[in-house]
Amino acid sequence: LDSYQATQVVQTLRSLADSGKTVIAVIHQPSQHVFATFDDLLLISEGRLMYFGEVAEVREYMKKMGYGCEDEMGTAEHVLECVSRVNGGGEEQ
C-alpha cells in the first residue's frame, strides 16, 4: 500500500477499535502518522520479544534500555533503528 492507502486502512481499523471491536494488525515499517494511531505495540524481532506495552511509552522504554533518540526523530523510525541495532543491523549485537 502507498502512504495514503495505508492511512485509510488504519483509520478504518481505528474506527472499528473505537466501536469496541478488537483489532490485531501486523504493520511493516509504518509511517509516524500510522504508528501513532495504535494504542498498544507488541514488537517482535527475530522471534524475540522486544517490547509489549503502550505505543505512547515505547520511547521512554527504549531510553531506559540505553537507546535514547533525538527529539526530531519519529518514534516509529527510532523503534526500527533500535531493533536493527540489537538484531544484526548495526554496531550493537
Side-chain angles (χ1 to χ4, degrees), residues 2-72:
D2 66 24
S3 179
Y4 174 79
Q5 290 171 327
T7 299
Q8 295 301 306
V9 168
V10 170
Q11 285 176 345
T12 299
L13 295 175
R14 176 82 259 170
S15 294
L16 289 169
D18 289 343
S19 72
K21 304 285 191 253
T22 298
V23 176
I24 299 171
V26 175
I27 304 293
H28 179 70
Q29 295 184 323
S31 69
Q32 182 60 36
H33 178 74
V34 166
F35 187 76
T37 304
F38 290 90
D39 295 324
D40 299 306
L41 172 65
L42 172 61
L43 180 61
I44 299 173
S45 180
E46 296 183 3
R48 296 174 24 201
L49 176 64
M50 304 301 285
Y51 176 81
F52 178 61
E54 295 180 20
V55 168
E57 301 296 324
V58 69
R59 275 180 94 98
E60 186 62 29
Y61 173 81
M62 292 295 181
K63 182 178 177 182
K64 287 179 184 176
M65 299 304 292
Y67 300 101
C69 83
E70 301 93 28
D71 291 338
E72 60 272 0

Side-chain angles (χ1 to χ4, degrees), residues 58-92:
V58 69
R59 275 180 94 98
E60 186 62 29
Y61 173 81
M62 292 295 181
K63 182 178 177 182
K64 287 179 184 176
M65 299 304 292
Y67 300 101
C69 83
E70 301 93 28
D71 291 338
E72 60 272 0
M73 181 181 279
T75 303
E77 181 182 0
H78 176 60
V79 168
L80 290 171
E81 184 177 288
C82 290
V83 170
S84 295
R85 279 190 279 174
V86 171
N87 286 324
E91 69 278 356
E92 297 181 31

